[in-house]
Amino acid sequence: MIKALDLFGRVLISALFFLNGIFKINNYEGTIGWMESFGLPGVLIIPAIALEIIGPILIVIGYQTRIAAAALSLFCFATAIIFHNDFADQVQLTAFLKNIALAGGFIFLVVNGAKGFCLDKK
C-alpha cells in the first residue's frame, strides 16, 4: 500500500507542472510576453518548459527522483519570489504560498526518494 500511495503522491505533485509545461507550449508567445513583463528574457521559457515536462516524468517513473525533485523545488522557490511577490494582492500571496508548499513537497522527495514502483530502486 505504501508503494502505491507513494506513486500516487508523485503523480499528484507532478501533474501540475507537466500540464503547465504543455500550456506554455500552447501559449508560447503569450508566456514569453508575460515573462518579459517581469524583466526576464523570453528565452528562459525554453528551460522552464523542459523542466516542467521532463522533471515530472522523471518523478512519476521514479528515475533520478531526487535530482528532478531538487530542480523543481528550486524552480518553485524562484517562481514564487519572481512572479508572486505582491503580498498586498491576496491571489498573489496564495500563489506564493502554494509555490513554497510545493517546494516543500519536492524537498520531501529529495530527502526520501521514491519509495516504490520506481526505476531508482532497480
Side-chain angles (χ1 to χ4, degrees), residues 35-116:
M35 287 177 62
E36 288 175 345
S37 74
F38 285 88
L40 294 174
V43 71
L44 290 179
I45 190 68
I46 296 168
I49 289 171
L51 179 61
E52 285 187 308
I53 291 177
I54 296 168
I57 291 170
L58 293 174
I59 288 172
V60 168
I61 66 172
Y63 181 72
Q64 299 295 319
T65 306
R66 287 185 163 118
I67 294 169
L72 284 166
S73 181
L74 291 173
F75 181 79
C76 288
F77 278 120
T79 57
I81 292 165
I82 294 167
F83 299 112
H84 304 297
N85 57 22
D86 181 6
F87 300 139
D89 180 350
Q90 185 174 354
V91 171
Q92 290 302 311
L93 176 61
T94 300
F96 177 88
L97 293 172
K98 284 181 182 179
N99 273 276
I100 297 302
L102 285 164
F106 285 122
I107 289 171
F108 271 100
L109 280 172
V110 171
V111 171
N112 298 303
K115 296 292 183 207

